[in-house]
Amino acid sequence: MTAAATAKAPAGAPGRTTGPRADALAGTAVLVRFNLRRDRVRTSVWIAALLLGTLGTLSSLQSSYDTAAKRASAADSLDSPAGLALSGPAHYLNDYTYGAMLGHQLISFLGVLIALMSVLMVTRHTRTEEETGRAELLRATVVGRHAHLTAALLTAGLANLVLGLLTALGLGASGAAGVGWHGSLLFGAVYAATGIVFAAIAAVTVQFSQYSRGASGMALAALGAAFALRAVGDAGSGALSWLSPIGWGQRTYVYVDNRWWPLLLSCALAAAATALAYALSVRRDVGAGLRATRPGSPVASAGLLQPVGFALRLHLGMLIGFGTGLLLLGAMYGSVLSEVEKMIEDVAEVQESLEELGGASITESFASSVMTLLGVVAALYAVLAALRPQSEETAGRAEPLLATGLSRDRWLGSHLTVALAGGLGVLLLGGLGFGLAGAATTGDGELVVELTGAAMAYAPAVWFVVGVAVVLYGWLPRATVLSWVLPGYAFVVGYLGQLLGFADWLRDLSPLGHVPMLPAAELEWTPLVVLTLLAGALVACGLAGFRRRDLETK
Amino acid sequence: MMKATTAISVSGLTKSFGQTRALDGLDLRVGTGEVHGFLGPNGAGKSTTIRVLLGLLRSDRGAASVLGADPWQDAVALHRRLAYVPGDVELWPNLTGGEAIDLLAKLRGGLDRRRRDELIERFALDPAKKGRTYSKGNRQKVAIVAALASDAELLLLDEPTAGLDPLMEVVFQDVIGEARAAGKTVLLSSHILAQVEKLCDRVSIVRLGQVVQSGTLRELRHLTRTTVEAETASPVTGLDTLDGVHDVRVEGEDGLRVRFAVDGPHLDAAVRRLTDFGVRGLTSHPPTLEELMLRHYGDAPPSTTDGVGGTPGPARKASGGTDGPQDASHDTTGTTGTDRGDDTLGASR
């Protein structure tokens, strides 16, 4: 272990002779311990939540589907493009044991969260450190060129291995029918591999962007693409799923066939991405991105001098990211609409399902599920955008502005204007992408208007999310992290709720749950108007709180 | 219309952050048209005071009035009449310095384009660079230019030149001098004593959230001790029995050099005593600002009777003890008191 051998160097003999390779890694072990120490609460919470989510799902499956007949009907209900896009490949459905259910439903859902944990962890320990200048301080000690990146990857790898091991032990020890030890080990390995792949992807993106926000944004875009590819692939022919690391995990057919070899793809991608990250990292300076910063305009344009124009400038990157992301996500789902229609013609059982759905067609119910997902992503944007003023404030950049003739209302109001309009805008783009691609593949031009309108019905719910974030920001700025509960809960309810059949009141707790499920359901104006009014009241309340409180200063 | 004579008036200001009491009954008065130095150790409450004056923080108790208005209630109207430079300027990473200057000045209520360009020129700032690429000193320049490019009556400057190079420090002092000539009021929080000594009409020294001393430099000096060094024909005795004389040290092998500190009111008696021994050389200098500050920066509460005042800095004491002859020969080079004070201040930077 070169890293361990040189780890003592910062404290001890700096003059000790070590090879150039070891020098580049000097201090890695110390940094890993330091990372673990800094993250001890955060990572423990992540791992515990993911573990409990997995084991909790198993026990909920055991109580909900306690007979073979119920399990078979669960398999039937998921055997549609919408169901498969939400869960996983249809091969799991042949013998829908508890184990098959876990592999089918949980890998894509928790895989996203595991990847999120890994991306945030790697970004936090690399680019954030550089951005704040802390890395420079450490790099000036006996810490090698590759130490930060290596330590971040080792920290993330360790967290994922622990998560995988605990998951394997927990599932294996559960003794549930169809959940054997071999499958449980593979299941844990799928978790760990998914996390490690995205840690490696984040290691690449942190080389590109100078800002941690941009770096994690790029890695999360890759995650979104991985999720969408497997969703679209599983709803259709399955080919696209082979382009997705999450798809590889699902194609182990854990508890069904217990194939290990798809994980080789994950290992290969992780290794390749890691190698690329190291190669890129030596081509740039500490604190810099790969591309040199270009000079900009020496004077401000007229638009920038308006508070809203200024806020838009700050939000632009995020807005473009989410806008294109949703456009592509919508387009990917839209591109399989014709396959969904074909399925209706092929499958006889569909006629029954049609009646169950109260007259809505399979296409429409598929579209409604996609809308829920677009709504959740737009809600994520809403929280990020609504909390953007807070990052301005804590970074000390609000203070000079608020010391000018700009009132607090106008400053926060301009950010919120962008957040509210942006929420509508990203929904519009998502619906447009879905509608355009759907119209192109099915030849039904009316889909464009219909699906775009359906997506925009989520705007009041998204505004409500903005409102909640603003109230927290105005009154309890330390508690703004709670705003993430809304999109998180909406994801769980909208996603797992559809799979596990949650009770209606659980759905009603989410603002997104009140949005009519267009186009499958009828358009109802009342919930939309109520949500809009509530959002307006929440925003007003948040502004009032911000007017009254001290500015957070450094 | 008569112009108000008080620009800033603060009394009994109290502000706590959780358990920490940042301001503890602070009083401050800054007259219109005056450049007021605001001195104190780190964490004394200088920045908190300025943020209360800006209406960014709300005080727990006490009254504050800025340009005749309440800084919390009338914050926005007030901000159009003042400009602020924080001690640690943060810029938007994807905006250029020029854009940030324009934005801040525009939001303050107007931008004098000619003045802006002139200041950018004088401070040798590249306005086309992105905020992320500026060094600390250049970020400060952006805020200084933005503050001075608008026509504000009052400048609130919180350690504005932290990170500026000495050349830019000179430019800054010139610019503030011009602002004073134009009748603007300046509250200048600073650690750079030479800057304060050069620019400020009055100073307030703040410690543990209270102003412990306030007045013109001349007044403050009068309150404290003068250092006297004398060369006499015969060894001086009995100085330490006089009232108000401290830290008597006899130097030189023959004991014919003496240095001591003496409280202002007792200077006359001490000098009379010296003449009994045949004065051959005499230098005296008023306490430097640094010495004034050191009296208030220490942990012990300030007092004029417990001898703290006689501590003109540990370095000086040590040099007196170990390098006596060398120190004495330096003194005989004949630097006059006040000049020497400036030297000390310069060195303290």
Side-chain angles (χ1 to χ4, degrees):
Chain A
M1 285 276 300
T2 41
T6 51
K8 294 262 189 287
R16 190 163 50 175
T17 49
T18 39
R21 270 181 67 98
D23 271 354
L25 290 172
T28 303
V30 176
L31 285 178
V32 170
R33 279 203 298 275
F34 179 55
N35 290 348
L36 292 173
R37 169 74 176 70
R38 283 177 66 195
D39 277 357
R40 66 198 188 285
V41 175
R42 200 191 295 250
T43 309
S44 308
V45 169
W46 266 108
I47 291 179
L50 292 166
L51 186 64
L52 287 177
T54 306
L55 300 178
T57 302
L58 176 59
S59 79
S60 133
L61 289 172
Q62 281 176 297
S63 57
S64 306
Y65 303 104
D66 50 352
T67 64
K70 284 186 188 168
R71 290 195 287 275
S73 90
D76 281 349
S77 73
L78 285 173
D79 198 2
S80 71
L84 294 176
L86 282 175
S87 49
H91 181 67
Y92 280 105
L93 298 175
N94 296 338
D95 180 13
Y96 215 39
T97 62
Y98 296 131
M101 286 179 170
L102 287 177
H104 188 223
Q105 301 180 12
L106 223 48
I107 289 177
S108 66
F109 173 56
L110 283 195
V112 168
L113 298 179
I114 293 165
L116 181 67
M117 170 184 83
S118 306
V119 166
L120 294 179
M121 192 181 276
V122 168
T123 315
R124 190 166 55 245
H125 291 308
T126 52
R127 186 50 81 173
T128 309
E129 290 296 289
E130 285 186 52
E131 200 179 5
T132 54
R134 292 191 289 256
E136 192 176 273
L137 203 60
L138 286 176
R139 282 278 287 271
T141 66
V142 186
V143 164
R145 179 171 300 121
H146 292 313
H148 268 100
L149 183 58
T150 312
L153 283 169
L154 287 176
T155 310
L158 200 61
N160 280 298
L161 288 176
V162 169
L163 170 67
L165 193 66
L166 291 176
T167 305
L169 289 175
L171 289 176
S174 72
V179 183
W181 275 104
H182 182 193
S184 299
L185 271 180
L186 178 56
F187 197 89
V190 168
Y191 270 11
T194 309
I196 288 169
V197 164
F198 281 96
I201 289 173
V204 174
T205 62
V206 295
Q207 311 303 327
F208 280 102
S209 177
Q210 261 182 7
Y211 312 112
S212 52
R213 199 198 303 264
S216 55
M218 274 192 265
L220 294 180
L223 172 60
F227 180 83
L229 283 169
R230 75 127 281 278
V232 172
D234 291 343
S237 65
L240 284 177
S241 306
W242 284 105
L243 296 175
S244 161
I246 300 176
W248 300 334
Q250 289 186 317
R251 271 158 182 71
T252 56
Y253 294 124
V254 59
Y255 295 119
V256 178
D257 298 344
N258 284 336
R259 304 193 291 190
W260 284 80
W261 64 263
L263 294 188
L264 288 177
L265 291 168
S266 308
C267 296
L269 177 60
T274 305
L276 179 62
Y278 279 108
L280 292 174
S281 77
V282 296
R283 300 170 69 106
R284 65 179 187 87
D285 297 330
V286 178
L290 276 173
R291 209 185 45 177
T293 318
R294 286 164 306 179
S297 165
V299 293
S301 63
L304 185 63
L305 295 180
Q306 298 304 317
V308 174
F310 173 66
L312 182 62
R313 173 81 171 265
L314 296 185
H315 284 252
L316 204 57
M318 187 164 61
L319 202 50
I320 291 175
F322 269 89
T324 45
L326 273 171
L327 188 75
L328 292 176
L329 188 65
M332 265 197 270
Y333 281 112
S335 65
V336 293
L337 262 189
S338 64
E339 291 181 51
V340 173
E341 286 201 329
K342 209 183 295 165
M343 211 178 246
I344 301 172
E345 291 159 14
D346 296 348
V347 185
E349 295 161 39
V350 163
Q351 298 308 321
E352 298 163 31
S353 318
L354 273 178
E355 277 153 35
E356 274 173 40
L357 287 163
S361 74
I362 292 272
T363 320
E364 282 174 334
S365 91
F366 173 70
S368 301
S369 305
V370 174
M371 291 303 162
T372 313
L373 189 66
L374 297 182
V376 170
V377 178
L380 286 174
Y381 163 79
V383 174
L384 274 174
L387 294 185
R388 184 64 213 253
Q390 185 168 39
S391 55
E392 288 290 296
E393 183 185 351
T394 48
R397 293 189 292 256
E399 190 180 332
L401 285 179
L402 291 174
T404 68
L406 183 65
S407 69
R408 291 188 181 200
D409 276 353
R410 275 190 79 200
W411 177 75
L412 182 54
S414 58
H415 277 277
L416 294 179
T417 307
V418 175
L420 294 169
L424 182 66
V426 296
L427 278 171
L428 191 139
L429 284 171
L432 197 64
F434 192 28
L436 284 174
T441 54
T442 61
D444 181 1
E446 283 178 20
L447 279 178
V448 178
V449 176
E450 191 186 350
L451 295 178
T452 308
M456 284 166 68
Y458 278 91
V462 167
W463 293 336
F464 182 89
V465 173
V466 171
V468 170
V470 175
V471 167
L472 287 169
Y473 175 59
W475 293 95
L476 295 166
R478 306 241 159 125
T480 46
V481 69
L482 291 177
S483 347
W484 291 104
V485 168
L486 283 180
Y489 184 75
F491 184 50
V492 172
V493 172
Y495 197 96
L496 277 192
Q498 288 188 42
L499 296 172
L500 301 179
F502 279 3
D504 278 352
W505 66 270
L506 280 172
R507 206 178 111 78
D508 288 347
L509 283 180
S510 162
L512 274 68
H514 293 279
V515 176
M517 297 275 285
L518 296 172
E522 293 290 311
L523 173 61
E524 287 175 72
W525 283 102
T526 319
L528 299 185
V529 171
V530 171
L531 278 172
T532 308
L533 291 176
L534 284 175
L538 288 170
V539 167
C541 172
L543 283 169
F546 182 62
R547 226 177 284 139
R548 275 166 183 76
R549 72 170 170 83
D550 283 346
L551 203 67
E552 302 264 324
T553 48
K554 280 197 180 178
Chain B
M1 191 183 119
M2 234 186 70
K3 216 174 175 187
T5 54
T6 305
I8 297 174
S9 160
V10 168
S11 62
L13 207 60
T14 304
K15 177 73 190 173
S16 300
F17 298 105
Q19 298 288 317
T20 323
R21 176 157 283 203
L23 298 181
D24 191 10
L26 182 129
D27 301 307
L28 178 69
R29 202 195 77 85
V30 177
T32 304
E34 117 185 354
V35 179
H36 194 100
F38 202 34
L39 305 171
N42 297 325
K46 302 188 297 293
S47 297
T48 305
T49 306
I50 290 179
R51 283 169 177 148
V52 170
L53 295 177
L54 283 164
L56 297 173
L57 300 178
R58 175 142 61 172
S59 60
D60 299 336
R61 266 197 308 279
S65 156
V66 179
L67 302 174
D70 180 322
W72 179 266
Q73 294 297 336
D74 311 320
V76 173
L78 202 50
H79 291 169
R80 295 188 209 282
R81 301 167 62 195
L82 60 82
Y84 166 56
V85 177
D88 201 351
V89 177
E90 294 296 333
L91 295 176
W92 298 272
N94 55 347
L95 254 63
T96 64
E99 286 174 324
I101 290 171
D102 289 358
L103 178 76
L104 288 167
K106 165 73 173 29
L107 291 174
R108 191 168 287 127
L111 169 72
D112 182 342
R113 166 98 25 214
R114 199 186 47 76
R115 174 113 179 101
R116 165 203 189 265
D117 293 343
E118 180 211 318
L119 284 166
I120 285 178
E121 177 90 28
R122 281 173 76 178
F123 279 102
L125 178 72
D126 179 356
K129 281 173 80 177
K130 293 275 172 70
R132 175 68 170 77
T133 59
Y134 280 123
S135 65
K136 159 98 178 113
N138 279 319
R139 292 203 302 274
Q140 290 300 130
K141 287 185 201 171
V142 168
I144 292 171
V145 170
L148 292 165
S150 56
D151 192 26
E153 295 165 46
L154 170 65
L155 299 171
L156 297 177
L157 312 176
D158 191 359
E159 297 181 30
T161 60
L164 283 199
D165 63 53
L167 287 176
M168 290 304 135
E169 175 70 39
V170 172
V171 175
F172 173 78
Q173 291 181 6
D174 289 349
V175 170
I176 295 301
E178 291 160 21
R180 173 165 56 184
K184 295 180 180 182
T185 309
V186 181
L187 179 63
L188 172 67
S189 150
S190 179
H191 279 306
I192 303 174
L193 301 176
Q195 181 185 69
V196 171
E197 202 150 47
K198 183 159 180 205
L199 290 174
C200 294
D201 307 308
R202 293 174 68 233
V203 298
S204 291
I205 298 174
V206 58
R207 181 168 175 271
L208 299 174
Q210 290 174 326
V211 168
V212 290
Q213 202 109 80
S214 192
T216 63
L217 277 175
R218 193 189 176 89
E219 285 166 355
L220 292 190
R221 285 192 170 126
H222 189 69
L223 288 175
T224 43
R225 291 167 190 167
T226 301
T227 303
V228 178
E229 295 162 21
E231 194 181 346
T232 47
S234 55
V236 179
T237 55
L239 260 183
D240 38 8
T241 61
L242 292 176
D243 279 348
V245 174
H246 309 269
D247 298 335
V248 178
R249 275 197 299 261
V250 177
E251 292 165 353
E253 281 172 25
D254 47 6
L256 294 180
R257 289 176 172 281
V258 66
R259 57 191 284 164
F260 58 92
V262 55
D263 293 337
H266 301 285
L267 182 60
D268 184 57
V271 174
R272 277 174 199 279
R273 178 83 186 188
L274 285 178
T275 56
D276 294 346
F277 302 92
V279 178
R280 287 182 174 170
L282 181 69
T283 54
S284 79
H285 61 82
T288 61
L289 187 52
E290 186 186 33
E291 285 162 351
L292 286 178
M293 297 295 295
L294 285 167
R295 289 191 57 201
H296 296 292
Y297 272 35
D299 272 328
S303 151
T304 46
T305 54
D306 64 359
V308 176
T311 313
R316 180 172 291 237
K317 206 182 233 170
S319 76
T322 54
D323 305 321
Q326 196 189 345
D327 197 37
S329 70
H330 170 75
D331 284 348
T332 49
T333 54
T335 46
T336 64
T338 42
D339 282 346
R340 200 167 172 282
D342 277 340
D343 285 348
T344 316
L345 284 171
S348 76
R349 290 171 52 200

